[in-house]
DNA sequence: AGGGTTTGCCAC
DNA sequence: AAACGTGGCAAACCCT
């Protein structure tokens, strides 16, 4: 059963079971959705314009759903597949195209609005439909059209699966943003204080950074703002050490006492500005824990498929990177555990699976693919890894050149797969992931050396796209499968338990300690389901490294 | 003062 | 060792 749903902006809305004639007006949308979700039998697939408009409010109201069709995410996939990447995807835009009317731009979404904004009662019509349009009818019409377009594709199964798991990704994104990654504000503050000194008044340099800046100035014989690359370049040149830039690997080679100070300064300044006290105040919510402790949650604002390859992005908060220096603050609540599952070497495994290269697949049946590769390449694991990455990224210079020749000989089908994608890109064509996500069309390129450079760059992009985009959909399928498994656990997990963080090839779950085994098992089963769904006949394995940590240990 | 661009770092 | 894919972001820089 599919039920289309739109909100009225006042806490109520309209529902329409597809295939039935009459829409239904409800005064309390969350209650109505919750009731139908809880009814016996297979839960409905909710059809809505865009998860950001409805689902965060449902989650805030304590309602979670199992399945949905996200019209905006699906529209973007279909547009991309048709070579129309980047055209507006909102319900209003899809409806306008369907009726040959002027197509409105997509609404701009503010950072944080999907995360921990205040309850908004399904605020504002973000659909971009013309005023007065019957939004429910428009949604039903666009949904039907999308299903037709999906069915009309030569291989519709792939993109249909992708649309379904990406829609589920929207559900997971709202739930993860709401629940948040457990992060202890007190531990975070202690780590910062140990590294930077006590928290300074706003706008001031922390003590350790101020000391470093002073020592840098002394050793260079002039006052220097270490945050200013041009000042640092000038001062180093004045001290007899001209360098082309202040990048860290350049500074590492400089034989002057200021160099290590500058490197240390840059490292700590980065921590302070990107994940310091201000970041914590903006992105980490706080609530009282047991025994007077403070518990916190990091609430990234996910953008599902926000990257051309289908990877997720975030708006604000640097959500796709918890720096290693701060991992110590990521702690389970007392009595709970964090389960972290990391898909190691995902991209070379994906390449092995999609290319059907037997030798690479054989290596990818091992836990450590690179170690196995090393045996072929001549014993050096690091060199094997460099060669593999060079093949997937299109590196041609430096160490990579001779390795690539070896790779081409040992793994001909894998290399032909990425080489062919690169040729397509260089010739201005588009490529597709395993499930059908399509790379954007390149801009028209000028003749001459500049165009040649751009063509090669486009080739590296499409070369990488076929791997990265397929890896991203592997992760999407895993996330959707895991979400379903966790919802099926019996007894059910308590509110707020489940997947709390997701980044490219890694998920973090937060569950009561007594459910740790069940969570680990759910991850393993989700991996198996993902593999069987995507690559049923491939020997390639996708081992997940799983670790469990309690409130005393970090992930 | 404010907006757009550059630099350099972080993550996968 | 450093130019090889996808991003976010802060501060400096450069312009109006």
């Amino acid at each position: 059963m599919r039920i289309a749903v739109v909100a009225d902006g006042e806490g109520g809305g309209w529902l329409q079971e597809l295939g039935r004639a009459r829409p239904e007006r409800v005064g309390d949308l969350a209650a109505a959705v919750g009731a139908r979700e809880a009814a016996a039998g297979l839960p409905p697939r909710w059809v809505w314009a865009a998860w950001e408009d409805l689902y965060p409010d449902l989650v805030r109201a304590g309602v979670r759903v199992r399945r949905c069709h996200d019209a905006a995410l699906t529209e973007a996939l279909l547009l991309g597949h048709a070579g129309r990447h980047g055209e507006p995807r909102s319900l209003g835009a899809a409806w306008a195209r369907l009726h040959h009317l002027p197509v409105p731009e997509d609404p701009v979404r503010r950072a944080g609005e999907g995360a921990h904004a205040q309850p908004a009662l399904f605020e504002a019509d973000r659909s971009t439909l013309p005023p007065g349009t019957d939004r429910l009818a428009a949604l039903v019409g666009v949904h039907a059209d999308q299903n037709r377009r999906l069915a009309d594709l030569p291989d519709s199964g792939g993109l249909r699966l992708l649309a379904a798991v990406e829609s589920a990704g929207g559900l997971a994104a709202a739930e993860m943003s709401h629940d948040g990654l457990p992060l202890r504000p007190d531990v975070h503050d202690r780590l910062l204080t140990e590294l930077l000194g006590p928290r300074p008044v706003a706008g001031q340099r922390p003590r350790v950074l101020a000391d470093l800046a002073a020592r840098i100035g002394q050793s260079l014989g002039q006052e220097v703002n270490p945050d200013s690359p041009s000042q640092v370049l000038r001062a180093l040149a004045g001290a007899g050490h001209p360098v082309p830039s202040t990048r860290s690997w350049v500074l590492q080679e400089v034989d002057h006492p200021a160099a290590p100070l500058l490197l240390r300064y840059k490292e700590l300044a980065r921590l302070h500005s990107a994940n310091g006290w201000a970041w914590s105040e903006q992105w980490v919510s706080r609530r009282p824990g047991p025994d007077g402790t403070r518990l916190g949650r990091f609430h990234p604002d996910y953008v599902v498929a926000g990257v051309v390859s289908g990877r997720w992005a975030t708006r604000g908060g640097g959500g796709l990177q918890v720096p290693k220096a701060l991992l110590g603050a990521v702690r389970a609540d007392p009595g709970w555990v964090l389960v972290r599952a990391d898909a190691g070497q995902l991209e070379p495994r994906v390449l092995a699976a999609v290319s059907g290269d037997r030798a690479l697949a054989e290596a990818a049946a091992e836990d450590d693919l690179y170690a196995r590769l090393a045996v072929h390449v001549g014993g050096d694991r690091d060199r094997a890894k460099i060669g593999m990455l060079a093949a997937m990224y299109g590196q041609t210079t430096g160490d990579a050149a001779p390795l690539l020749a070896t790779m081409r000989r040992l793994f001909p089908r894998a290399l032909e797969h990425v080489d062919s994608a690169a040729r397509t890109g260089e010739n201005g064509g588009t490529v597709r992931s395993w499930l059908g996500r399509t790379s954007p069309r390149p801009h028209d390129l000028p003749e001459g050396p500049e165009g040649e450079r751009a063509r090669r760059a486009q080739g590296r992009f499409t070369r990488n796209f076929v791997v990265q985009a397929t890896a991203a959909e592997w992760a999407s399928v895993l996330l959707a499968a895991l979400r379903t498994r966790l919802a099926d656990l019996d007894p059910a997990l308590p509110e707020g338990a489940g997947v709390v963080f997701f980044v490219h090839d890694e998920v973090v779950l937060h569950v009561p300690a007594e459910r740790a085994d069940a969570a680990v098992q759910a991850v393993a089963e989700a991996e198996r389901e993902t593999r069987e769904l995507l690559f049923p006949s491939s020997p390639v394995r996708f081992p997940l490294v799983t670790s469990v940590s309690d409130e005393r240990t970090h992930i």
Side-chain angles (χ1 to χ4, degrees), chain A residues 302-482:
Chain A
Y302 295 102
V303 186
V304 174
V307 176
V308 280
S309 63
R311 280 181 171 182
W312 291 19
T314 55
R315 255 182 305 255
L320 288 186
Q321 50 192 79
V322 177
K324 298 211 165 42
L326 293 186
L327 280 182
V330 177
R331 304 281 182 102
D333 285 358
W336 288 47
V337 292
L338 288 168
V339 178
R340 174 181 178 177
D342 193 328
Q345 309 165 342
L346 179 56
E347 294 193 349
R349 292 174 192 280
V350 160
L351 177 56
V354 299
S355 67
D357 188 287
R358 276 187 51 197
L360 190 57
E362 189 198 318
E366 305 285 326
D367 274 350
D368 188 347
L369 178 150
Y370 292 129
R372 185 56 181 263
L373 245 55
V375 177
H376 292 274
V377 174
D380 187 336
R381 185 182 180 281
D382 284 347
R383 282 173 55 78
K385 182 175 175 177
I386 288 172
M388 196 71 246
L389 295 175
M392 292 188 298
Y393 290 159
Q395 182 184 356
T396 52
T397 57
D399 287 354
L403 281 169
L404 273 176
T406 310
M407 291 282 164
R408 221 160 248 128
R409 186 165 46 75
L410 293 172
F411 311 112
R413 288 187 66 176
L415 270 288
E416 174 53 25
H417 191 85
V418 286
D419 286 347
S420 153
R423 285 194 298 271
T424 302
E426 286 172 6
N427 293 327
T430 59
V431 294
R432 299 195 205 280
S433 69
W434 188 243
L435 292 182
R437 188 187 306 279
T438 307
S439 68
R441 230 180 251 298
H443 300 112
D444 289 334
L445 300 177
E447 296 295 323
E450 199 172 316
E452 193 49 41
R453 199 164 37 243
R455 261 185 289 281
R456 276 200 301 274
Q458 184 66 18
R460 287 194 298 274
F461 168 61
T462 49
R463 168 190 295 273
N464 185 252
F465 184 94
V466 293
V467 178
Q468 189 183 112
T470 303
E473 61 206 21
W474 179 91
S476 281
V477 175
L478 178 83
L479 185 62
L482 180 56

Side-chain angles (χ1 to χ4, degrees), chain A residues 98 136-146 148:
Chain A
L98 197 52
L136 191 62
L139 174 61
V140 171
V142 165
H143 169 257
D145 176 61
Q146 290 182 341
R148 274 193 298 273

Side-chain angles (χ1 to χ4, degrees), chain A residues 180-539:
Chain A
L181 178 70
L183 189 148
R184 286 265 300 277
D186 52 340
V187 177
H188 176 249
D189 177 70
R190 197 186 70 222
L191 288 168
L192 291 178
T193 304
E194 284 168 8
L195 292 165
L196 297 163
R199 177 176 188 176
V201 297
Q204 296 281 336
R205 265 192 189 124
R207 197 197 65 223
V208 173
L209 287 181
D211 289 351
L212 279 167
R215 290 168 63 199
I216 289 164
Q218 285 161 15
S219 81
L220 287 170
Q222 57 180 299
E223 222 175 89
V224 170
N225 174 7
D227 288 320
S228 166
S230 65
Q231 284 187 36
V232 171
L233 287 183
R234 233 173 300 141
L236 280 173
H241 291 271
V243 284
S245 80
T246 64
R247 287 171 161 82
S248 53
W249 66 81
V250 173
L251 292 179
Q252 272 161 24
E253 302 303 311
V254 174
D255 183 21
H256 185 280
L261 299 174
L262 281 163
L263 287 167
R264 182 66 177 155
Y265 179 93
K266 286 157 79 80
E267 189 185 349
L268 293 176
R270 160 82 196 180
L271 180 66
H272 178 238
S273 69
N275 296 99
W277 289 279
W279 170 84
S280 172
E281 248 159 43
Q282 189 179 356
W283 293 99
V284 180
S285 66
R286 287 145 165 85
R287 62 177 182 226
D291 310 322
T293 56
R294 307 273 285 164
L295 302 180
R297 296 284 189 269
F298 170 40
H299 301 274
D301 191 4
Y302 295 102
V303 186
V304 174
V307 176
V308 280
S309 63
R311 280 181 171 182
W312 291 19
T314 55
R315 255 182 305 255
L320 288 186
Q321 50 192 79
V322 177
K324 298 211 165 42
L326 293 186
L327 280 182
V330 177
R331 304 281 182 102
D333 285 358
W336 288 47
V337 292
L338 288 168
V339 178
R340 174 181 178 177
D342 193 328
Q345 309 165 342
L346 179 56
E347 294 193 349
R349 292 174 192 280
V350 160
L351 177 56
V354 299
S355 67
D357 188 287
R358 276 187 51 197
L360 190 57
E362 189 198 318
E366 305 285 326
D367 274 350
D368 188 347
L369 178 150
Y370 292 129
R372 185 56 181 263
L373 245 55
V375 177
H376 292 274
V377 174
D380 187 336
R381 185 182 180 281
D382 284 347
R383 282 173 55 78
K385 182 175 175 177
I386 288 172
M388 196 71 246
L389 295 175
M392 292 188 298
Y393 290 159
Q395 182 184 356
T396 52
T397 57
D399 287 354
L403 281 169
L404 273 176
T406 310
M407 291 282 164
R408 221 160 248 128
R409 186 165 46 75
L410 293 172
F411 311 112
R413 288 187 66 176
L415 270 288
E416 174 53 25
H417 191 85
V418 286
D419 286 347
S420 153
R423 285 194 298 271
T424 302
E426 286 172 6
N427 293 327
T430 59
V431 294
R432 299 195 205 280
S433 69
W434 188 243
L435 292 182
R437 188 187 306 279
T438 307
S439 68
R441 230 180 251 298
H443 300 112
D444 289 334
L445 300 177
E447 296 295 323
E450 199 172 316
E452 193 49 41
R453 199 164 37 243
R455 261 185 289 281
R456 276 200 301 274
Q458 184 66 18
R460 287 194 298 274
F461 168 61
T462 49
R463 168 190 295 273
N464 185 252
F465 184 94
V466 293
V467 178
Q468 189 183 112
T470 303
E473 61 206 21
W474 179 91
S476 281
V477 175
L478 178 83
L479 185 62
L482 180 56
R483 207 178 150 274
T484 302
R485 301 244 167 218
L486 293 173
D488 283 340
L489 282 186
D490 186 26
L493 290 173
E495 173 87 22
V499 185
V500 292
F501 194 68
F502 170 67
V503 47
H504 305 325
D505 59 358
E506 170 184 339
V507 291
V508 179
L509 291 74
H510 190 221
V511 296
E514 66 271 16
R515 308 307 298 281
D517 290 344
V520 169
Q521 194 184 337
V523 171
E525 287 170 358
E527 184 276 320
R528 186 172 48 77
E529 185 181 340
T530 301
R531 181 164 30 88
E532 289 171 356
L533 209 48
L534 288 180
F535 309 114
S537 56
S538 172

Side-chain angles (χ1 to χ4, degrees), chain A residues 30-95:
Chain A
V33 170
R36 280 164 182 75
E37 188 70 22
L42 188 65
R45 186 176 296 277
W46 298 95
V47 177
W48 53 46
W51 66 271
E52 296 98 320
D53 297 341
L54 273 170
Y55 198 50
D57 282 331
L58 286 174
V59 171
R60 266 191 288 272
V63 173
R64 302 205 178 193
V65 307
R66 303 282 288 272
R67 313 187 297 158
C68 76
H69 172 99
D70 191 299
L73 291 173
T74 303
E75 188 69 17
L77 285 171
L78 283 165
L79 284 169
H81 196 277
R84 302 170 65 176
H85 200 273
E87 289 187 31
R89 61 178 62 183
S90 66
L91 175 61
W95 182 85

